[in-house]
Amino acid sequence: MLRALSSGQRLLGIFGSAERFSHSQVTKMVDAYVNVFKEVAQISDLKGAKILNVTHNEQGGNDDVSVQVFWSSRNLTSLERSITSCDYLVQGEKVISFPPSPINKNVVLSQTSASGKWTAFMVTSEKNQEEHQVMVVNQDGSMKTFDLKVADKHGKVYSDGEFGCLEWSADETMLVYVAEKKQPKPTSFMTPLKSGKSEDARGQEFIFRDDWGEQLDGKHQSVVCLLNVNSGDIKCHELRDQLCPGQMVWAPDSAGIFGVAFVGKPYRLGLIYNHNRESKLFHMDLEGNYSVISEGHSNIRSPRVSPDGLSIVFLRTKVGGPHAKCSQLCLLTWPDKQERVVVDVVYREKEIEDGDVFKGIYGYSGLPQRCWLNDSRRIVFSSFKFDNVVSYVFNVVSGTITELSHLGSLQVLDVCDGWLLVDFSYISQPNLIRLGYVPEEGQECKVDLIEVTPRREIAGVPNYYRGHWLFINETPHPDPKYSDIPISVIYFGPTSHKEGTAKTPLICWPHGGPHTVSSNVYNMAAAFFVKLGYAIVFPNYRGSLGFGEDGVSSLPGHCGVTDVSDVHKATLQCLSRFSDVLDESKVFLFGGSHGGYLVTQLAAKYPEVYKAVSARNPVTDISTMTNVTDIPDWTFVETGFPHQHGKVPDGATLSKMLEMSPINHIDSLKAPVLLLVGKNDARVPPSQRFPTAEPQLRNIITMANEVGGEGFSDLTAAEVQEELLGNVGDPFTSDELEQLVELQDETEDEVSDDENKNLTLDNLGEVIRMSKALSARLYDIDPSLDRSLKAKRAIENVMLPYIELQREMRSKKAQTTITNFFSRRVPAIAEPAGILQQEAEAADTSQQQDVEAAGTSQQQDAVPAHTPQEDADLDSSYSSDWLHLYDDCHPLNKVDSEVDCLIHTALWFEKHQHTPSS
């Protein structure tokens, strides 16, 4: 039965023993953590940047280059993201900055024409985010507005990264974008058909229509939309056979467009972060006539047309298999449609110009929107090389690849008129925008990048707080050909120890995916923990991107084995390398999605190493995820099975999936676990939170062992199975599960001795609470910390006999209760001892979630049998081995969720720094 707890109780629920942390101390600690978050949140995240204009100096001097940078800031007042635009004028070595200006949050897409004369904005309505307008603004300030709702030609406009686009034609008369196909409003069969309606949508109200999954929900069938900015005419064109168009770009003659069409048959699967879905490259004229121009059965993305209009480059990967992998770079000549691979898949590494090595093309963002240099012979792109983001200049004619020099990560943002705009950062260095001119062929390595934006530092975190290394795991891979694939490690934290100070606790933070990478780029969340006094190790286990295609292929079928081993070895190496700095008794685990899978596996396999766990949207049971996730193929591929559309996993497959899941090792999991679960997550649904394995058996054993006494302290699972559960034929009902709680109240009078008849559990609890309240009050009002602590200890010493008596009475009461309960052959209570669950009701995503704690909680060294008065006591001590927090979708996607996720994790780790290992 759920009972709501106050915010004070929730914090103490995380912290446990009030003997270590009073309510005032917890409140002060939370305030301090919030202040640290505010400090690191002042450093804005890079949203994007582009070159607005290049003005050539006719006298042969430096070009004038106009740059626009977009920063995403956390507005901690409204708890929303705010976008700010900053403009810069670069004149040689001189950079002129202009005052920043906020970007209206209703602007979802924008694009400036090639001449710079016109800028188009796709804007949502203030009243209804489903309604859109197109605003076209001229340099002189004049404006045209087109109301797409009034036009009524299509549904919601797509502004995501998979389909969304807003592009000008070369003659600057047309805009192309993508929107949902217009559908008649579905109604019940009982709704009369209105006269004049051409389509009958009766009976369609509850028809299921599949969409493209996580973060693309509600997107079923896209159409190509062409807006004539002179006449205001809008034409929408649909592709046949459930092909869903997106990523549109104009042909240079403005007479047609190129795009990517995702295959929607036999059904749609989750698309975001999954570049293994079938798609095709197509060309369409202005009347909607189209033809597929790519070859084969593959995933196509990021089409980019050369300045001379004679070539189109795009990325291609195989359909099926891992959700991300090494890509081919392909070139299609136009209009003769001759296709060839210009950069092939790299299985380990390839030697390139200047003796550098190239690991292949990876990444979720694809090619830059503008990647061609003026000569139509070279493009610029970025990819992963181990854990760094590295930028390259590639000559599509000669095939030469040149790596641009870098320290840290260098991400291409834009290319215009020979100028290159990049984002530079590393783990302890926030984003810095740089600009440089790309010289002629053969001289690309001489690109000189100047800093456009001011350099920013993390207050209190020195720039040298970092380390990086590669190693080979000496434990052989099950397939020997993958044994020599390296593991890369990024370390963020102090590298030397100041004498007289405590050693630093370590957080192991493996990435999700699993086929992505913890890249050496600035990470605000990591900076938050480092400022709190933690160090962090980011292991890139085998299966990560940036190590060749063999690196990706080494993991499927071996999840829970090689990745777990790699991460654990990386953690041990980190502890060894920085043994003078790190406290090996305080190692914590933090990860999300597949990273959540890994941290729960690690905690179960190495309980003596890891002290506590925070898992965000963790995969805990692959076998039950198969039919509820938007990427069911992931569950097959990563456990080593081929995926076929419509195939139902057989018993052997499900058994293997379960065997490879953390839930299979739950009995070995001793570390306290904080679960941060997205209740609207389509990828890792909330059902993936840890259920209780064999709940009746586990709870009987847990309760019996904790109350102690003859026949209880040594009760085994086999005995319970044989004597109790084996005689129960039917599943236990909710009513039966509540009987134990009722029995506890019925036996209250039975455990009171005549000589102690006034010393009931209620009376003792009241006296003990009063003593704790007195201690807390003295701590609050006494300016002398030493004096208040002495008084607190004296009160505790006086109360020790009564606390011991309370413990004995509870034990006796619990034994009586369980004995009576067992004699009726009714199962134990539904939730295991030590569980504190917090659930949040669905709330408006623009407002902070009010997370309520509920459920049973256990005092240290006592049975889980609190009275309502004890539950209401802010100084009650909770031993929460499990804490479930629910939120909308991914906790880090919103400012309020981000704050709560990080601070809850910090409090969880802080609590368990001061508790003995389980």
Side-chain angles (χ1 to χ4, degrees), residues 774-775 778-795:
L774 177 60
S775 296
L778 287 173
Y779 177 85
D780 289 338
I781 66 174
D782 193 341
S784 170
L785 179 62
D786 183 63
R787 186 169 55 209
S788 63
L789 288 176
K790 286 180 180 179
K792 181 176 181 288
R793 293 191 192 102
I795 294 170

Side-chain angles (χ1 to χ4, degrees), residues 439-554:
E440 64 273 11
E441 290 184 35
Q443 304 297 313
E444 291 90 351
C445 63
K446 297 181 180 179
V447 174
D448 184 22
L449 297 171
I450 65 171
E451 297 181 358
V452 176
T453 58
R455 185 178 289 267
R456 302 173 297 169
E457 305 292 342
I458 312 168
V461 178
N463 194 270
Y464 58 80
Y465 265 34
R466 66 185 192 275
H468 172 270
W469 66 93
L470 298 168
F471 73 94
I472 302 294
N473 190 337
E474 70 277 9
T475 302
H477 191 284
D479 187 338
K481 77 175 183 178
Y482 298 131
S483 291
D484 61 343
I485 294 173
I487 295 94
S488 78
V489 183
I490 299 172
Y491 172 76
F492 187 17
T495 54
S496 60
H497 179 248
K498 182 183 288 188
E499 190 174 348
T501 61
K503 286 189 174 183
T504 302
L506 177 67
I507 299 173
C508 173
W509 191 338
H511 63 73
H515 306 295
T516 179
V517 61
S518 290
S519 52
N520 186 21
V521 297
Y522 175 67
N523 183 324
M524 188 283 289
F528 168 75
F529 286 110
V530 172
K531 278 186 69 69
L532 288 180
Y534 293 89
I536 306 174
V537 56
F538 297 96
N540 283 302
Y541 46 88
R542 283 169 291 184
S544 303
L545 302 181
F547 296 79
E549 182 67 3
D550 279 353
V552 175
S553 301
S554 68

